[in-house]
Amino acid sequence: MKDEPITAPTSGRSRPVTLATVARHAQVHVSTASRALSDDPAGVGADTVRRVRELAAVLGYRRDVGAAGLRTGSSRLIGVLVPRLTDLVLASIYESIDAAASAAGYGTVVANTLDDPDHRRTRLDAMLSRRIDGVIIGDSHIGDTAAHELRRRGVPYVLVMRKLEGHLSVTTDDHRGGHLAAEHLLALGHRRVGVIAGDQLASTGRERTLGFRRAFESAGYPLPDAYVVESAFSTPSGLEAGRQLMQLPEPPTAIFAVHDLLALGAMGAIRDAGKRVGDDVALVGYNDLDLAATLPVPLTSIRSDLQRMGTLSVDALLRGFKGETASSVLLQPELIVRATTPPLRS
Amino acid sequence: MKDEPITAPTSGRSRPVTLATVARHAQVHVSTASRALSDDPAGVGADTVRRVRELAAVLGYRRDVGAAGLRTGSSRLIGVLVPRLTDLVLASIYESIDAAASAAGYGTVVANTLDDPDHRRTRLDAMLSRRIDGVIIGDSHIGDTAAHELRRRGVPYVLVMRKLEGHLSVTTDDHRGGHLAAEHLLALGHRRVGVIAGDQLASTGRERTLGFRRAFESAGYPLPDAYVVESAFSTPSGLEAGRQLMQLPEPPTAIFAVHDLLALGAMGAIRDAGKRVGDDVALVGYNDLDLAATLPVPLTSIRSDLQRMGTLSVDALLRGFKGETASSVLLQPELIVRATTPPLRS
DNA sequence: ATGCGGAACGCAATCGTTTGCGCGAATGAC
DNA sequence: GTCATTCGCGCAAACGATTGCGTTCCGCAT
């Protein structure tokens, strides 16, 4: 019986404390140590379990999930595709995804695809090389092949935020959200309105715009195409689009921006046009980010529960891992009225 | 010579196309295939290399970086610790970190630590379990042990954004940034000013505040402690702090917020107090986020080059991997004057 | 003819875990 | 006292890649 000294990991050099190290100290076979350390230590004596665990703790042992994954086939890693993390909306969703995944014992890797097909391919490839267990797609786009490819390869995936026909998704009812915004503006008496529509290849931009236009149409005030301008989903892009709207011969009396950051940009455009946000030009945003409430002129917005979407998408994916089949979730948005949509002065 | 049919990966089930598969098709030993596929295919015939690579492409082979890492000891993964990704500043930095790492063939895993020691420990542990090659710490905090622990374990790391005495870091000169803000306000004639100081345990909050106070002190107008209020780094927190300042018997004529999002919150507070941002109460933010320029009242801010910080931190880390020693970097901030700091009406 | 050197490639160990299987001992039933 | 279980544990084969070392074969000089 050779007795090895227990050197605290404090000692110094890298990390040669492997399962074998623990096993040796505990005087058991490495397989026994493995079992003792597993969640369900069946077939191992109670005292052995205790001893092994204790030793593992003292030695500072940490299971190498990579090596374990090699054996088990599961990397316990889920990949997340987003357009950009500097989009606060996606950052929020990702935060809750990461929290939920982490709680379930999974790690996450996220990639900015910049809504660009090449980036998407490259980054997805990198993920697959890491033997990702599943993917949450937050940047789906009409004509995008990522989801199809994953299906073909048999890799579980869920769409979040943006939906795509025929794929499992967790989203908010964007059509209805647009409708809510329209109803609100109609009720206030607005008739000539503009839309900053976002990316029309993303279901969010498309559906919110569509719902909005439909409502105005039904009310008898269809929007001319010039009053609907496409954009990216960033503040500068909102500024640009807002300018276009304000430069129309007859500028709108109200603007619906399909994203709060776009609304923020629109505020700048309205100011530049010499008008006041709210009193002169009403404004409705979307997503109700934290900052919407605290702006100099608090922003009316359509709230969607980002945290919830994140959590639910992880749930769905986890269910997918277990072979259960989940079905798409559609959350309901809510109108939050603030100062940017005051009653019309007559 | 047994001839196996080349089945396109399109076929269906999971992914059993391993290095061995490729080798078999190419009629070579797996070791030869490995070499042929490596960056520097030394000791392998030119035609063999071509054949193997071609076959690998056709079969849709993808090297399992996890398995490779097991053998080589490097996971080609770098971990990033941030307080939260919904903090736009950190999101920007992380974006550039991810881009730079990705370009260098590394993947990244990011973790929100919420500036909470427990979270930090847990998440760092998870990272170490993945045999991270190195860590970029974006949430360092006085009294935080993460950096020390990494040093002890011999894991390469770099601090970014926030510095800590005795550790390699890539930061902006926050003291000078605070100084710039102060000089600007002094020049405009402000004498009674307030500071929304952020977290004083983070070097950013501390140094920016310090630089600012020092400048006012030297000018002969030291700030009473009541005019300096601590906070988190979020918009709601800025609102709260701003309210405190505006409720002082003699509210300040100008506010320096050490983070643009705090400034955003402060705008809300100023409005709530019935005053106008800029004309009644001047405001200076920090970091010059995209949205600063497009706010209804464009925000004067201190710009720090976030992308650059991200890229440089990756550079430093990669240098660390190669054993080279890098030294800390201190970038220079810049004052960007906008509408929230107009000349004082006399 | 012999020897030498190098190119091209195969062999097998290795990284750290997990897990099906088998074996000995202890336990219980009769 | 015998036999069948059960329990606790060890053995060894995976997982997918990398790499030091050995082997074979060829060309060329001596």
Side-chain angles (χ1 to χ4, degrees):
Chain A
M1 158 159 71
K2 51 178 176 173
D3 234 321
E4 298 217 2
I6 298 186
T7 61
T10 328
S11 62
R13 295 315 320 143
S14 36
R15 223 176 55 77
V17 48
T18 140
L19 191 54
T21 320
V22 178
R24 207 175 325 122
H25 280 97
Q27 320 266 23
V28 297
H29 191 262
V30 36
S31 67
T32 306
S34 172
R35 281 187 258 259
L37 255 19
S38 84
D39 292 330
D40 168 39
V44 182
D47 44 350
T48 306
V49 170
R50 203 175 332 109
R51 189 158 36 99
V52 170
R53 295 201 166 168
E54 211 164 85
L55 243 15
V58 173
L59 293 168
Y61 167 73
R62 223 186 306 264
R63 158 202 278 120
D64 182 328
V65 298
L70 181 55
R71 173 66 227 259
T72 62
S74 154
S75 61
R76 294 198 82 78
L77 215 49
I78 84 184
V80 184
L81 256 30
V82 300
R84 339 194 32 151
L85 278 175
T86 44
D87 178 340
L88 260 177
V89 173
L90 273 307
S92 301
I93 295 184
Y94 174 65
E95 261 194 23
S96 55
I97 287 180
D98 184 55
S102 184
Y106 282 80
T108 66
V109 288
V110 60
N112 293 16
T113 64
L114 309 177
D115 270 328
D116 170 72
D118 279 350
H119 270 82
R120 215 181 321 241
R121 277 214 63 78
T122 320
R123 303 304 304 264
L124 186 56
D125 267 24
M127 285 183 174
L128 290 172
S129 273
R130 299 222 177 250
R131 289 283 194 294
I132 295 291
D133 283 348
V135 181
I136 296 183
I137 306 183
D139 69 333
S140 50
H141 220 256
I142 284 193
D144 173 28
T145 58
H148 290 96
E149 175 163 348
L150 289 174
R151 170 173 298 167
R152 244 190 17 210
R153 298 193 112 90
V155 180
Y157 66 91
V158 190
L159 274 50
V160 71
M161 188 75 188
R162 302 182 184 174
K163 51 165 58 170
L164 216 51
E165 200 56 46
H167 298 277
L168 182 64
S169 66
V170 177
T171 57
T172 327
D173 191 337
D174 289 314
H175 194 279
R176 178 160 169 66
H179 197 91
L180 285 175
E183 277 182 336
H184 178 51
L185 291 178
L186 279 166
L188 289 176
H190 292 280
R191 298 297 177 254
R192 194 175 64 250
V193 299
V195 177
I196 302 183
D199 187 341
Q200 292 302 293
L201 294 181
S203 70
T204 46
R206 198 174 54 252
E207 301 242 315
R208 289 169 195 172
T209 305
L210 203 62
F212 187 87
R213 293 187 82 163
R214 283 274 163 77
F216 264 82
E217 228 170 272
S218 316
Y221 309 98
L223 274 73
D225 284 344
Y227 284 76
V228 178
V229 348
E230 286 195 43
S231 67
F233 286 114
S234 65
T235 308
S237 180
L239 177 66
E240 171 60 23
R243 286 204 172 123
Q244 275 189 48
L245 287 175
M246 297 311 291
Q247 278 167 8
L248 288 172
E250 290 195 298
T253 65
I255 295 179
F256 171 47
V258 301
H259 191 303
D260 280 352
L261 292 182
L262 288 173
L264 215 52
M267 284 188 172
I270 294 172
R271 165 197 23 95
D272 287 351
K275 310 237 176 162
R276 282 166 310 166
V277 175
D279 289 335
D280 297 334
V281 181
L283 188 58
V284 178
Y286 207 108
N287 282 325
D288 193 33
L289 295 175
D290 270 357
L291 52 81
T294 57
L295 289 171
V297 188
L299 179 66
T300 294
S301 188
I302 309 289
R303 171 177 303 164
S304 48
D305 195 334
L306 305 177
Q307 278 69 254
R308 192 113 189 285
M309 290 184 58
T311 315
L312 288 177
S313 65
V314 173
D315 285 356
L317 196 57
L318 259 37
R319 247 198 296 282
F321 291 168
K322 292 190 292 189
E324 309 173 21
T325 59
S327 50
S328 292
V329 179
L330 195 63
L331 300 175
Q332 285 308 314
E334 188 188 351
L335 171 70
I336 309 289
V337 178
R338 298 208 183 82
T340 54
T341 54
L344 259 195
R345 300 167 306 178
S346 44
Chain B
M1 161 161 69
K2 51 178 177 173
D3 235 320
E4 298 219 1
I6 298 185
T7 61
T10 330
S11 61
R13 296 315 322 141
S14 35
R15 224 176 56 76
V17 47
T18 140
L19 190 55
T21 320
V22 178
R24 209 176 323 122
H25 280 96
Q27 319 266 23
V28 297
H29 192 263
V30 38
S31 66
T32 306
S34 172
R35 282 186 258 259
L37 256 18
S38 84
D39 293 330
D40 168 39
V44 182
D47 45 348
T48 306
V49 169
R50 202 175 332 109
R51 190 159 35 99
V52 170
R53 295 200 167 169
E54 211 164 86
L55 243 14
V58 173
L59 293 168
Y61 167 74
R62 223 186 305 265
R63 158 203 277 121
D64 182 328
V65 299
L70 180 55
R71 174 65 227 257
T72 63
S74 154
S75 60
R76 293 199 82 79
L77 214 48
I78 83 185
V80 183
L81 257 31
V82 300
R84 339 193 34 153
L85 277 175
T86 45
D87 178 341
L88 261 176
V89 173
L90 273 307
S92 301
I93 295 184
Y94 175 65
E95 261 193 24
S96 55
I97 287 179
D98 184 54
S102 183
Y106 282 80
T108 65
V109 288
V110 61
N112 294 16
T113 63
L114 308 177
D115 271 329
D116 170 72
D118 279 348
H119 270 82
R120 214 181 322 241
R121 278 215 62 77
T122 319
R123 303 305 303 263
L124 186 55
D125 267 24
M127 285 182 173
L128 290 171
S129 274
R130 300 223 177 248
R131 289 284 193 293
I132 295 292
D133 283 348
V135 181
I136 296 182
I137 305 182
D139 70 332
S140 49
H141 220 257
I142 283 193
D144 173 27
T145 57
H148 290 95
E149 175 163 349
L150 289 174
R151 169 173 299 167
R152 245 190 17 211
R153 296 194 113 88
V155 179
Y157 66 92
V158 190
L159 274 50
V160 71
M161 188 76 188
R162 302 182 185 174
K163 51 167 56 171
L164 215 52
E165 200 57 47
H167 298 276
L168 182 63
S169 65
V170 177
T171 57
T172 323
D173 191 336
D174 288 314
H175 193 279
R176 178 158 168 67
H179 197 91
L180 284 175
E183 276 181 338
H184 178 51
L185 291 177
L186 279 166
L188 289 176
H190 291 281
R191 298 295 178 255
R192 194 175 62 250
V193 299
V195 177
I196 302 183
D199 186 340
Q200 291 303 293
L201 294 181
S203 70
T204 46
R206 197 175 55 252
E207 301 242 315
R208 289 168 195 173
T209 305
L210 202 63
F212 187 87
R213 293 187 82 163
R214 283 275 163 76
F216 264 82
E217 227 169 273
S218 314
Y221 309 98
L223 275 74
D225 286 342
Y227 284 76
V228 178
V229 349
E230 286 196 41
S231 67
F233 286 114
S234 65
T235 308
S237 180
L239 178 65
E240 170 60 24
R243 286 204 172 121
Q244 275 190 48
L245 286 175
M246 297 311 292
Q247 279 167 8
L248 289 172
E250 289 195 298
T253 65
I255 296 180
F256 171 47
V258 302
H259 192 303
D260 281 353
L261 292 182
L262 288 174
L264 215 53
M267 285 188 173
I270 294 172
R271 168 201 16 100
D272 288 352
K275 309 238 176 163
R276 281 167 310 165
V277 175
D279 288 336
D280 296 334
V281 181
L283 187 58
V284 179
Y286 207 109
N287 282 325
D288 193 34
L289 294 174
D290 270 357
L291 53 81
T294 57
L295 288 172
V297 188
L299 179 67
T300 295
S301 188
I302 307 289
R303 171 177 302 164
S304 47
D305 195 334
L306 304 177
Q307 278 69 254
R308 193 113 190 287
M309 288 184 59
T311 315
L312 288 177
S313 65
V314 173
D315 284 356
L317 195 58
L318 292 177
R319 248 198 295 282
F321 291 168
K322 292 189 291 188
E324 309 173 22
T325 59
S327 49
S328 293
V329 180
L330 194 64
L331 300 175
Q332 284 308 314
E334 188 187 351
L335 171 71
I336 309 289
V337 178
R338 299 208 184 81
T340 54
T341 53
L344 260 194
R345 300 167 306 178
S346 46

